[in-house]
Amino acid sequence: MKKTTLTTLTALLCTSALAGGAGAQMPAMPMTSGSVTVNGASVFYKTSGTGQPLVLIHGYPLNGELFKNNRNLPGYQVITVDLPGFGKSVAPDANASIENYAMTMLAFMDAMKIDKAVVGGMSMGGMTLLQMYKMAPERFRGLILIDTTADPAGVAEAASWRGNAQQAQQMGVASLVPGLLPRMLTSVSRTTMPNQVAHLSTLVKNASLNGAVGGGNALATRPDANPVLATITVPTLIVAGVEDNVTPTELQLKMKNAISGSTLVQIPGAGHAATFEKAQAMNAALLRWLPTVR
């Protein structure tokens, strides 16, 4: 059995420094964008760079621009996707489920002629990824689970997500921003990084009503993915913002212990949106781990 590992931010930054530095400015990668119609939805995507495909799936109620600072990964074609109802993707209605998102993403891979890829998902995107693996494990070279959980929603959490859906219906999607931003960013970032606050606020506001309602209800009714964890046989990276108060580090530790050979990276000073809030640390983690995937 492979040894399960936990990596600290210090080790990651040392590795990144050898590769040019986590904060080093790399040349911008060529970028394209487009939309495909799959599983009854119009799905918008952006691709950056060339090489092995790396698909990234955002959380609720954001879009692919969550990963705007994670696209410069030499040797990989980074593909960010807007789930149906979010960003520039269109959902036919407000009926949504994690399983349906998973079917849509597998159909997206078909449409893009991606037979096999490393796929990452943040929060709701990670829950979607676990269902994708359950449905078609042969499609994956590796998994990246970012600030997410395999657990189903408890009673109180389910009520909170349904409350978001109801609030969006009654008060508009933009009304979700004040309640969600403190869950995505640490207090330090919210008070000292106005650009981060503005960017994530815009992503929330860009969600459609169908997306905000459907996604909230999908999170409330998500399946228990814990049985999937023991079946994972591909390299798996788990990323946890140390100050994440939505899916606390304990939940990522639980996944690490259940997935043989998995690697857990904890990012200090990061909340639920660690991949954006601490993008340099996230990129360092990716640059260290991706070469281990064969």
Side-chain angles (χ1 to χ4, degrees):
M1 181 177 293
K2 296 179 181 178
K3 181 181 178 182
T4 300
T5 58
L6 183 152
T7 306
T8 64
L9 177 60
T10 300
L12 283 170
L13 292 179
C14 288
T15 300
S16 180
L18 293 173
Q25 294 297 313
M26 297 181 183
M29 299 285 190
M31 187 177 298
T32 62
S33 63
S35 294
V36 294
T37 300
V38 292
N39 199 28
S42 174
V43 176
F44 177 82
Y45 65 90
K46 284 186 177 181
T47 67
S48 179
T50 58
Q52 293 288 336
L54 169 59
V55 181
L56 297 175
I57 309 170
H58 63 86
Y60 175 88
L62 308 171
N63 59 57
E65 289 305 296
L66 170 72
F67 303 107
K68 78 183 189 78
N69 295 324
N70 308 124
R71 290 185 169 121
N72 253 11
L73 299 175
Y76 282 82
Q77 181 186 52
V78 179
I79 305 164
T80 58
V81 181
D82 294 355
L83 288 170
F86 301 97
K88 296 182 180 180
S89 291
V90 180
D93 51 46
N95 295 316
S97 68
I98 300 300
E99 296 93 332
N100 191 261
Y101 290 146
M103 288 188 287
T104 298
M105 287 306 305
L106 288 170
F108 171 79
M109 290 175 65
D110 290 339
M112 298 293 289
K113 302 188 186 308
I114 301 172
D115 179 59
K116 203 168 187 177
V118 176
V119 182
M122 176 265 185
S123 192
M124 185 172 77
M127 300 167 194
T128 298
L129 175 54
L130 289 172
Q131 293 305 307
M132 292 170 67
Y133 188 88
K134 178 181 179 181
M135 294 173 185
E138 72 281 358
R139 304 296 298 274
F140 299 92
R141 296 179 64 241
L143 307 179
I144 307 170
L145 300 167
I146 310 164
D147 289 298
T148 191
T149 178
D151 289 354
V155 174
E157 185 191 351
S160 175
W161 291 124
R162 289 192 180 98
N164 282 334
Q166 185 176 20
Q167 180 178 328
Q169 284 181 311
Q170 295 177 347
M171 302 173 63
V173 175
S175 71
L176 299 177
V177 171
L180 291 178
L181 262 291
R183 308 179 74 183
M184 294 182 188
L185 297 172
T186 62
S187 60
V188 172
S189 293
R190 296 198 310 276
T191 54
T192 64
M193 302 291 288
N195 289 344
Q196 288 195 351
V197 173
H199 182 71
L200 290 184
S201 297
T202 297
L203 300 194
V204 174
K205 293 174 183 177
N206 284 344
S208 69
L209 183 58
N210 280 345
V213 172
N217 289 328
L219 284 166
T221 59
R222 66 181 186 263
D224 181 359
N226 282 290
V228 179
L229 302 181
T231 71
I232 295 174
T233 58
V234 298
T236 302
L237 174 66
I238 302 168
V239 180
V242 172
E243 297 185 43
D244 184 354
N245 60 15
V246 179
T247 53
T249 303
E250 291 82 0
L251 297 178
Q252 277 90 50
L253 284 167
K254 180 180 177 181
M255 290 193 296
K256 185 215 34 162
N257 291 332
I259 302 173
S260 177
S262 59
T263 297
L264 171 64
V265 173
Q266 297 173 300
I267 300 181
H272 193 53
T275 190
F276 173 72
E277 186 174 16
K278 298 294 182 181
Q280 291 183 0
M282 180 64 185
N283 294 341
L286 293 172
L287 290 171
R288 177 186 174 96
W289 177 80
L290 283 169
T292 70
V293 180
R294 302 291 181 227

